[in-house]
Amino acid sequence: MTNTKYGGQAVIEGVMFQSPRKMVTAIRRNDDSIDYFEMDRPQKDWVQKLKKIPILRGNVAIIESSIYGMKHMDFASERYERHPSDDMNIEAEKHEANKSKIVLSTVLIGILSFLLGKTLFTLIPVFIAEVFSGVVTSHAGQVALESFFKLILLLLYIYAISMTPMIKRLFQYHGAEHKVINTFEDNEPLTVENVQHHSRLHYRCGSSFILFTVLIGFIVYMFVPVDPFYVRILNRLALIPVVIGLSFEFLQFTNKVRHVPVLKWFGIPGLLLQLLTTKQPDHKQVEVAIASFNRLLRSVE
């Protein structure tokens, strides 16, 4: 096994895997065949330089993930329910809609969706905690209350969406993605049987990152004022990049020390959250994940 770090994400009826220079998605079509979408990862010099700067690189990585992830999700969503014989019509429809506009709108949607979601996730708990400001008056108490409501909001949101059939299947493919990565990192052949024997949890998962933003935010907010209220709102918004950056660094740290007996416990909270964001995949879903990863490995050889 090389030292290359492979990552990925679940898409509708499939899995996307990525290396530093390549991204591959495999999906299950409605005729039971497996279809692929491949793209090179842009290697812009200024972006690569930003990726070397601690804290800042986390923000770059998240924005990149949002942009490129949307492209792969679009591929999956427009094809998984349609027969492969209809692919010519899909391309014709995209051409008529102006492909450049579609790409631009996908990029904008990816960025705006992330920013909007992060802003709401940050501010809603602030307003809820403020309701109790007459009861919980201390700075530490308000920050703790805010973080508590943020955690509850996160757990309730994930649990609620996991009840829908489509998200449940998405979480199954998320589990398949982790199983494949774990099998590969254990230097075992990528067979369905081997993959199914591995854990559906992984230390580098984005789900862990989301939880870490709550925990890291709790620590960061202890050092900034909560009064007056408008200052609290402003510093929460201003500190979003800082919390994201620190959470990304902590995620990388937990992955590096996951085999160290004592330090591996730092990553346990994130793994526990993955019990909600991943589900046990069936064999056919694992087949898709394996196909996607093998295609990626062949493309980078």
Side-chain angles (χ1 to χ4, degrees), residues 52-78:
K52 296 179 181 179
I53 303 175
I55 298 181
L56 187 58
R57 60 190 172 193
N59 289 272
V60 175
I62 296 303
I63 292 175
E64 263 195 337
S65 178
S66 299
I67 294 172
Y68 302 146
M70 281 294 296
K71 294 181 179 180
H72 289 262
M73 188 65 81
D74 280 352
F75 166 80
S77 62
E78 70 189 12

Side-chain angles (χ1 to χ4, degrees), residues 32-46:
D32 208 36
S33 65
I34 296 177
D35 197 5
Y36 300 91
F37 171 61
E38 300 182 36
M39 64 173 282
D40 294 324
R41 295 188 68 170
Q43 301 293 311
K44 297 180 180 179
D45 290 340
W46 65 274

Side-chain angles (χ1 to χ4, degrees), residues 281-296:
D282 60 35
H283 285 1
K284 296 188 69 173
Q285 290 170 319
V286 169
E287 286 176 358
V288 174
I290 292 174
S292 178
F293 194 71
N294 281 335
R295 184 86 162 218
L296 177 66

